Amino acid sequence: MADIITPGDDEDLQTQIEEVEALSSIYGDEWCVIDEASRIFCIKISADLEEPKLTACLQIILPPDYPSAAPPIYQINAVWLRGPERAKLANSLEDIYVEHAGESILYLWVEKVRDFLVEKSQNSETVEEPEKVNMTAEKDVDDDEDIPDLSSLRLNTENVHLFLEQANDEELPPIKHGNPITDRRSTFQPHLAPVVTPRQVKMVLEKLYENKKIASATHNIYAYRIYCEDKHSFLQDCEDDGETAAGGRLLHLLQILDVRNVMVVVSRWFGGILLGPDRFKHINNCARNILVEEGYTASTIWLV
């Protein structure tokens, strides 16, 4: 049976089409259509068009009720964008949406990211992409494990409104720190917190980054799953923090274990020796261990 299209849906779709056409005209080759039917787009943004040393890729998914009732879903891919800086930029984009709720905001978002790049470029003229000092740059993903398809993470667009329905008086959830795993001088340590709103996810990240040791980690990979009772579906997301594919794998683990209302962060301090595919096993084993310790799953099988 065909989906029922309401007048509001039709208006939103027409607004989206007009906005995408305008952005394509403005940005030319920088604007890319990934999946028009699923309303997935991306744009490569740089601080300097003539000498694009500092760049970011903004990937956008337009929910059916954008712009009338929901914000775009987005992901910023930039190896240099980490921790506090990522949170600062995310807050700026959220502020733009709140200020212009019900309006088309993609142009404002793109230019805000560009302004952020320009400011960072001016404040740190020596920045190069990627940052070799603090990145493991382990690009080999040639093990036999399948990399989770991140498109599966974008099925819960109807829950995005929860990012705006957050009370300022929410309490910081208790954060647990698990036992570290060390292999060839690289150390992995998990952190876990119960979360029921995206606001709490942000609060947990901000609290963790107050710890200088955690803030100095080479990567802080995280994933979370929040079960929405009224929708009977999950709000979930993940972050690689420079460790390509690690966030997706971590979320895939949470899905396999069918845990809910929990966030897991795995900090990695790189020891100078590339671990290859073993790094993914350590990240997931750390996560599994703390989930077992905190009673989220009874499984104690070690990933090999």
Side-chain angles (χ1 to χ4, degrees):
M1 180 180 295
D3 293 336
I4 299 174
I5 304 297
T6 66
D9 293 334
D10 195 45
E11 282 183 25
D12 282 329
L13 179 58
Q14 184 58 39
T15 302
Q16 290 181 20
I17 291 172
E18 293 173 359
E19 184 177 20
V20 167
E21 287 178 352
L23 292 170
S24 179
S25 175
I26 293 170
Y27 296 113
D29 292 340
E30 289 183 317
W31 180 263
C32 176
V33 178
I34 296 179
D35 187 337
E36 188 166 6
S38 299
R39 315 303 291 156
I40 304 176
F41 309 91
C42 72
I43 180 170
K44 183 178 181 182
I45 308 169
S46 59
D48 186 339
L49 294 177
E50 296 181 0
E51 193 176 357
K53 290 185 178 180
L54 203 60
T55 63
C57 179
L58 176 64
Q59 185 165 320
I60 299 162
I61 305 159
L62 302 181
D65 49 355
Y66 165 80
S68 66
I73 303 172
Y74 73 92
Q75 178 173 313
I76 301 174
N77 297 317
V79 295
W80 51 267
L81 186 62
R82 299 167 51 76
E85 284 188 328
R86 182 178 289 275
K88 178 182 177 182
L89 181 54
N91 287 336
S92 297
L93 299 185
E94 184 177 323
D95 289 343
I96 289 174
Y97 174 74
V98 172
E99 184 179 348
H100 299 272
E103 303 174 14
S104 299
I105 59 167
L106 294 185
Y107 175 79
L108 296 177
W109 272 13
V110 171
E111 292 308 307
K112 173 56 70 173
V113 175
R114 194 185 306 280
D115 290 344
F116 190 88
L117 294 179
V118 170
E119 181 181 352
K120 180 171 177 62
S121 180
Q122 291 173 345
N123 292 339
S124 181
E125 295 181 358
T126 59
V127 171
E128 294 184 2
E129 183 184 6
E131 177 64 43
K132 297 297 184 182
V133 175
N134 199 37
M135 303 298 292
T136 60
E138 297 196 39
K139 297 186 180 297
D140 52 304
V141 192
D142 53 359
D143 54 317
D144 293 332
E145 298 180 45
D146 292 330
I147 300 176
D149 180 5
L150 293 186
S151 63
S152 65
L153 310 185
R154 305 179 180 115
L155 300 178
N156 295 308
T157 57
E158 70 273 16
N159 294 321
V160 180
H161 67 281
L162 292 176
F163 279 92
L164 300 174
E165 298 174 359
Q166 42 187 264
N168 292 328
D169 59 351
E170 286 189 60
E171 294 184 0
L172 173 70
I175 302 175
K176 303 293 185 178
H177 306 281
N179 295 322
I181 294 175
T182 300
D183 179 15
R184 284 163 282 181
R185 298 197 303 227
S186 277
T187 298
F188 304 79
Q189 184 178 22
H191 321 282
L192 177 149
V195 293
V196 293
T197 69
R199 171 63 180 163
Q200 289 183 323
V201 172
K202 184 186 297 186
M203 292 169 69
V204 170
L205 289 173
E206 291 173 350
K207 185 63 177 180
L208 286 174
Y209 274 105
E210 289 178 6
N211 182 300
K212 293 183 178 179
K213 181 178 179 182
I214 294 174
S216 69
T218 314
H219 310 288
N220 283 299
I221 304 107
Y222 72 81
Y224 67 87
R225 297 186 85 213
I226 298 171
Y227 185 68
C228 306
E229 295 281 353
D230 57 336
K231 300 284 186 178
H232 301 291
S233 60
F234 285 92
L235 179 64
Q236 53 191 15
D237 202 359
C238 62
E239 170 58 43
D240 294 337
D241 195 23
E243 185 72 286
T244 304
R249 289 169 180 258
L250 181 57
L251 180 56
H252 189 54
L253 174 69
L254 301 188
Q255 293 169 332
I256 291 173
L257 297 177
D258 193 27
V259 297
R260 57 187 63 191
N261 299 335
V262 67
M263 173 184 189
V264 177
V265 181
V266 178
S267 302
R268 180 194 182 181
W269 292 268
F270 180 53
I273 300 174
L274 301 180
L275 303 186
D278 286 348
R279 67 193 188 278
F280 297 120
K281 297 185 179 70
H282 295 324
I283 291 168
N284 277 13
N285 276 325
C286 270
R288 181 189 290 267
N289 289 345
I290 198 168
L291 286 166
V292 171
E293 291 167 7
E294 297 303 319
Y296 283 88
T297 178
S299 176
T300 56
I301 300 174
W302 188 264
L303 299 176
V304 295

